Amino acid sequence: MDTSTNEGVKPYPPNEYIQTSHTLNRVSRKAVLHGTSNIVLGGKCIIHSGAMVRGDLKRAASGSTIAISTGRYCVVGEGTVLRPPYKTYKGTFSYYPVKLGDFVHIGSSSVLQATSVGSHIDIGRDCIIGRFVTVKDCVRICDGSVVAPYTTIPSGQVWAGNPAKKVGSLPETWAELHEARGRDYYGRFRPATLS
């Protein structure tokens, strides 16, 4: 499913997704979440079929116990992989936590190893977001882009290419438009009613 647009959002078979009772997250039964105790979904998030969220890759006991956390209304596309970035520091191999803000849409078949992704973000399909990338608020990354490790993407920009670079700017109304789109997507992506 293409999460970069709300076109074609259809209700899903009732048995295909699990909806959490309090936070109303919708997680596909065909998604793989490793280390669920180390994953925090902010509420009204959608994890699509085939997505893999690696909460089992976390810092040792002395560090943070949360490997991946999201804000509200985040969408992880089909076949997308979210995993913490890693590095060796003073001879010790460590994973570092991933934090996503609100209204983050990640298209299908993308791989994300960023440390920080702001709010009102649209990451297209087939993207690779390298280790320790920082994405500020209100950013669009176009389909097929490869963002090099340790890159910082400033607010209000559009990035594309391999390697990805700035190709444009977003309108000042981006946050409001993207938020409305995220709420609409969540509202339309619901269990089908049986007739």
Side-chain angles (χ1 to χ4, degrees), residues 39-139:
I39 300 169
V40 175
L41 301 177
K44 296 190 176 180
C45 294
I46 299 171
I47 310 292
H48 283 293
S49 174
M52 181 179 290
V53 182
R54 297 297 307 268
D56 59 327
L57 306 177
K58 64 180 186 73
R59 276 191 164 169
S62 62
S64 172
T65 58
I66 301 301
I68 297 175
S69 64
T70 75
R72 296 173 48 81
Y73 291 98
C74 291
V75 176
V76 178
E78 289 182 6
T80 288
V81 177
L82 296 183
R83 63 178 175 231
Y86 61 87
K87 68 178 174 180
T88 302
Y89 180 70
K90 294 186 178 179
T92 303
F93 182 85
S94 293
Y95 289 100
Y96 292 80
V98 177
K99 181 168 177 44
L100 279 64
D102 298 328
F103 300 97
V104 175
H105 286 233
I106 305 170
S108 60
S109 303
S110 291
V111 177
L112 186 137
Q113 293 187 84
T115 51
S116 176
V117 176
S119 294
H120 306 102
I121 305 298
D122 184 27
I123 298 172
R125 296 172 300 181
D126 302 311
C127 291
I128 298 174
I129 311 301
R131 293 184 297 133
F132 297 101
V133 167
T134 299
V135 181
K136 302 293 187 176
D137 293 340
C138 298
V139 167

